[in-house]
Amino acid sequence: MPIIKSSAIIAFRSRQHALYFNQILKDNGYEAQMISTPKGISIGCGLSLRFSPHLIDKIIEIYKRNKVPIVGIYLIKQTGNVSELKRIPCD
């Protein structure tokens, strides 16, 4: 049986916005990992933040309070070597 992993990412329009939102998350007690934006998301600055999918609602809440420009929030589900990318509505 293949291993199933999932994570969530938020992709940004600029590097400064990615760094700024990462600091906002840290200030609110949430951890995120800075990563290169997956190839399935073709626009943006090339930086994203990865976080636990269990935090999506909290991250969206923080995003709505701060309105940092983003490309979008996505759920990534990886089964074996196959990745599925799903955009999460956040507006």
Side-chain angles (χ1 to χ4, degrees):
M1 181 171 235
I3 296 173
I4 299 173
K5 293 192 267 182
S6 63
S7 61
I9 65 163
I10 184 167
F12 295 89
R13 298 194 181 283
S14 79
R15 292 180 168 284
Q16 290 80 11
H17 293 139
L19 294 167
Y20 177 63
F21 197 74
N22 190 38
Q23 187 60 50
I24 290 171
L25 291 179
K26 285 182 182 178
D27 291 346
N28 282 275
Y30 296 103
E31 288 294 321
Q33 180 183 12
M34 190 82 60
I35 62 167
S36 295
T37 301
K39 64 182 177 180
I41 304 168
S42 59
I43 58 175
C45 69
L47 282 182
S48 295
L49 294 176
R50 180 171 49 205
F51 55 93
S52 169
H54 304 291
L55 297 176
I56 288 176
D57 291 336
K58 295 288 185 188
I59 301 296
I60 289 173
E61 182 182 310
I62 293 169
Y63 160 71
K64 287 181 177 180
R65 281 197 315 256
N66 292 276
K67 288 295 186 183
V68 174
I70 64 170
V71 172
I73 299 175
Y74 300 85
L75 182 63
I76 300 173
K77 182 177 174 184
Q78 187 171 1
T79 307
N81 293 331
V82 179
S83 292
E84 179 184 334
L85 188 68
K86 178 183 172 187
R87 188 177 179 127
I88 305 297
C90 59
D91 293 333

